[in-house]
Amino acid sequence: MTDEVFEVPVVATGLLAEFAAAGLISASGVHLARTLSWLTGECRDEVLLAVALCLRAQDSGSVCLPLDEPHSVAGELPWPDPAGWQLLLAESPLVVVGAEAAANQRPLRLIGHRLYLERNWQSEEAVRTALAQRIALPPPALDRQAVADAVMRVSRQRSAAQELTADQCAAVDTSVSTWTSVIAGGPGTGKTTTIAGLLRVLDDLVTHRTSVALASFTGKAAARMQQSLDASLSGSDRDGAVWKHLQVQPATTLHALLGARPGGRMTRDAGNPLPHDLLIIDEMSMVSLDLMAALMAALRPGTRLVMVGDPHQLSSVDAGAVLADIVSAGLPAAGGSPRSAITVLTHSHRFAGPIQHLADAILASRADDVLDLLASAPDGLTWAQTDPDPVLVETLNPLTADVVTQGRAMVSAARAGDAVQALSAMDAHRVLCAHRQGRYGVGGWSRAAEAELRRAILGYGREGEWYLGRPVLITRNAPDLQISNGDTGVVVRIDGQIQVALSSGDNPRLRSPWLLDSSETMHAMTVHKSQGSEYDAVTVVLPSAESPLLTRELFYTAVTRARQRVRIVGTAEAIRQAVTTAARRATGLGGRV
């Protein structure tokens, strides 16, 4: 435990007060526990503590509270005895026990040693049930030999250097031959190429109009998916609208696909299901449990579902780790087949050499190898061994040189009205942080970068808020403007008008800045926001070793955003802590699928 002192809500007493003072439960958790106590008469300290801890677990990304693992959260506190705690909860008026009990009768549910907020249990159970039902379906009615022939034919349509690998062919075969499948792999392992192959094969096999939807979690990831797929299909006889039978819709966000409404409601549900015959979801690691439950409710049994992503990346901001759970548990093919519906692609086509070696060592939790590799400073990897501080950014000369070079390129393109070049310059380098605020956060490092640019570039920022070359991050969905939370852009001047050019392949979307109510300057970005993107070079700002955000998944995700160069700014202790600390998300899905 640290010596940090946390504010204790005045209504907190007993165990609630002790755990609030240690920072292990929040004020909202205390108030939830007290409210439920007032409503039901439950006043036992151990039960109210469990309520507050359950909410804290959800806020930390977990779906449930494992009662037998309190020691993994903190040490010197009066944790209840797990066995006695479970018995107290089982007899509490706040808790329903077992999976068979009716839904939504009480606010919490106890399943073995796992305590759920009822809403989270219902989402997990909905996903588990839907997956089980889809696995039990008879497989799609396709001739196995025809599938094999189509896969071979499509594989050889490409040049010799671009032929589908054996793993990619297996992924295509599996995705065509079953209702629910996963294509897993790290950055650059050919997931998009595999999706393109899947579409070609399906177009050869089907004999009727077949609707295909493409979706991802964020607008940025959806745009990247579309751009990559277009590039992969370019030059083939299936390019553009020349599909024989497929009707492939432009990639969009999952929320848009499901018709998200204020308050979390979805237009698409069991009563109004999605009309598509095939749904391909990219960046599945970012999909939360609640969103997955909504998606499964909106799927018809006869819709093929293909989930694509990297299970080793950071999970969703909200509770759940759906892709990681499914991959770790395994997923049988349809009709009770013992064959796995999960294909893992392992060969990276994006990068090799030092960046690949670094990513592999991080995933394998080899801290000594990571430190030795960084210390040897191979081409493409640099390490500034310092505790990061944006106040001292000018002492990191290579970093400031990258920031200034990038800034000059963005300003020059913005003044020339070249939106494509401005966006290309924006993606040449990205500073990635674990935190949003504080010494290690996006706010401080973004302000430090902007100060360097104002010193280095004559007239930089003098046009006011919407100055030319300003990099912008969209922070809220605006469907009427066709922009999404996570979209990035640059302020440019075109035909005398100030516009924000938003990333969208080779055809940037231009929007008036006066319509963008939710945006911020983006000289730095959180690692979470960077998912689904790639840059020529990244600078990774690691927090201190005590940061709870410092995990293997965060470090791996940050490093693998780079195509060519990675710079690490952080101490050896922070690197070792990141490499050896797995993100802990308590869920029951993996064990129950």
Side-chain angles (χ1 to χ4, degrees):
M1 295 176 61
T2 69
D3 294 328
E4 187 174 0
V5 177
F6 295 87
E7 183 177 353
V8 179
V10 293
V11 295
T13 59
L15 290 178
L16 289 178
E18 289 189 67
F19 279 71
L24 291 186
I25 57 177
S26 62
S28 57
V30 170
H31 289 297
L32 175 62
R34 283 300 180 198
T35 299
L36 293 178
S37 174
W38 177 74
L39 289 172
T40 65
E42 173 60 80
C43 57
R44 288 171 290 184
D45 263 10
E46 295 88 348
V47 175
L48 300 184
L49 174 64
V51 173
L53 286 170
C54 222
L55 186 61
R56 174 59 183 266
Q58 174 186 269
D59 292 343
S60 300
S62 290
V63 178
C64 57
L65 173 70
L67 300 173
D68 58 347
E69 299 178 13
H71 58 278
S72 67
V73 185
E76 305 283 329
L77 287 168
W79 289 95
D81 170 68
W85 203 7
Q86 190 168 329
L87 289 173
L88 280 177
L89 288 165
E91 63 184 31
S92 171
L94 296 178
V95 180
V96 67
V97 180
E100 304 303 323
N104 301 318
Q105 299 301 304
R106 296 183 182 183
L108 294 101
R109 183 177 293 254
L110 183 63
I111 306 292
H113 61 267
R114 293 189 178 97
L115 183 67
Y116 291 81
L117 294 174
E118 177 68 7
R119 177 173 177 269
N120 288 338
W121 161 258
Q122 293 301 331
S123 292
E124 184 175 285
E125 179 64 4
V127 172
R128 184 202 67 80
T129 301
L131 287 173
Q133 290 172 346
R134 293 178 68 83
I135 291 168
L137 292 171
L142 293 171
D143 183 284
R144 291 296 308 148
Q145 187 58 50
V147 172
D149 291 345
V151 171
M152 184 62 67
R153 184 167 55 253
V154 164
S155 173
R156 291 176 175 173
Q157 284 176 355
R158 305 171 66 84
S159 67
Q162 294 180 312
E163 282 189 6
L164 296 181
T165 65
D167 284 347
Q168 289 174 318
C169 287
V172 171
D173 186 314
T174 299
S175 299
V176 168
S177 306
T178 195
W179 297 115
T180 309
S181 60
V182 173
I183 301 173
T189 52
K191 297 189 293 294
T192 303
T193 302
T194 306
I195 294 172
L198 164 62
L199 294 177
R200 291 195 189 99
V201 167
L202 196 60
D203 194 47
D204 279 354
L205 290 172
V206 299
T207 58
H208 55 278
R209 303 304 292 175
T210 299
S211 174
V212 179
L214 309 172
S216 193
F217 183 73
T218 66
K220 174 73 172 179
R224 177 64 188 163
M225 179 188 192
Q226 186 69 59
Q227 181 182 4
S228 299
L229 190 58
D230 288 345
S232 187
L233 290 169
S234 177
S236 78
D237 62 352
R238 299 294 183 267
D239 192 18
V242 193
W243 297 101
K244 292 185 298 184
H245 302 294
L246 300 190
Q247 294 177 309
V248 183
Q249 307 299 317
T252 186
T253 65
L254 266 174
H255 287 89
L257 185 74
L258 293 171
R261 294 291 182 265
R265 300 188 309 276
M266 302 292 179
T267 301
R268 294 291 184 179
D269 55 21
N272 182 31
L274 292 166
H276 310 291
D277 302 295
L278 169 63
L279 171 59
I280 302 174
I281 306 174
D282 198 16
E283 297 295 343
M284 259 297 299
S285 65
M286 304 168 72
V287 176
S288 69
L289 182 66
D290 280 349
L291 185 56
M292 187 65 176
L295 170 67
M296 299 305 282
L299 278 183
R300 295 176 299 138
T303 298
R304 284 183 180 86
L305 172 64
V306 181
M307 297 173 279
V308 185
D310 185 352
H312 301 298
Q313 282 189 189
L314 282 168
S315 296
S316 65
V317 175
D318 296 321
V322 175
L323 180 64
D325 282 344
I326 292 174
V327 171
S328 66
L331 184 68
S337 168
R339 176 185 177 190
S340 174
I342 299 172
T343 309
V344 180
L345 308 178
T346 56
H347 178 68
S348 177
H349 305 274
R350 179 189 300 177
F351 47 64
I355 296 179
Q356 183 68 62
H357 296 155
L358 178 61
D360 291 344
I362 292 170
L363 281 184
S365 194
R366 301 196 307 266
D368 289 340
D369 290 351
V370 170
L371 291 169
D372 289 344
L373 182 60
L374 291 174
S376 68
D379 187 37
L381 293 181
T382 56
W383 178 21
Q385 299 188 50
T386 183
D387 191 16
D389 188 342
V391 175
L392 304 176
V393 68
E394 69 274 6
T395 65
L396 300 171
N397 294 325
L399 171 56
T400 56
D402 278 349
V403 169
V404 170
T405 298
Q406 178 186 33
R408 283 176 172 153
M410 284 194 293
V411 169
S412 176
R415 290 172 177 171
D418 190 338
V420 172
Q421 190 56 43
L423 291 169
S424 176
M426 180 185 69
D427 285 342
H429 173 252
R430 187 61 48 86
V431 177
L432 300 178
C433 304
H435 292 251
R436 284 194 55 80
Q437 302 297 334
R439 174 173 177 170
Y440 309 107
V442 165
W445 286 86
S446 191
R447 288 189 292 272
E450 185 161 354
E452 289 296 313
L453 292 170
R454 290 180 184 276
R455 282 192 286 268
I457 302 175
L458 182 64
Y460 186 83
R462 290 184 183 174
E463 296 96 340
E465 178 184 4
W466 298 102
Y467 57 85
L468 296 179
R470 176 192 171 195
V472 174
L473 173 68
I474 302 299
T475 58
R476 186 181 300 171
N477 292 324
D480 54 324
L481 297 175
Q482 295 182 313
I483 60 177
S484 302
N485 183 10
D487 279 353
T488 56
V490 181
V491 178
V492 298
R493 182 171 54 214
I494 296 180
D495 296 331
Q497 299 294 316
I498 299 298
Q499 301 280 344
V500 177
L502 296 170
S503 296
S504 186
D506 295 330
N507 299 298
R509 293 163 290 158
L510 299 178
R511 299 291 183 270
S512 168
W514 320 122
L515 299 176
L516 303 183
D517 296 326
S518 301
S519 63
E520 59 188 42
T521 301
M522 184 200 63
H523 292 292
M525 174 185 272
T526 62
V527 178
H528 257 294
K529 286 283 189 182
S530 75
Q531 287 183 264
S533 301
E534 57 183 57
Y535 316 101
D536 292 339
V538 299
T539 294
V540 184
V541 178
L542 290 179
S544 68
E546 290 75 33
S547 170
L549 300 183
L550 198 56
T551 65
R552 184 183 310 138
E553 290 79 0
L554 178 131
F555 196 19
Y556 167 80
T557 301
V559 164
T560 54
R561 297 310 90 203
R563 299 186 189 97
Q564 300 168 10
R565 293 188 294 120
V566 173
R567 176 187 295 110
I568 307 297
V569 183
T571 64
E573 292 76 16
I575 291 172
R576 185 175 294 278
Q577 180 69 17
V579 174
T580 57
T581 304
R584 293 186 59 85
R585 288 205 168 193
T587 79
L589 183 62
R592 301 177 60 241
V593 168

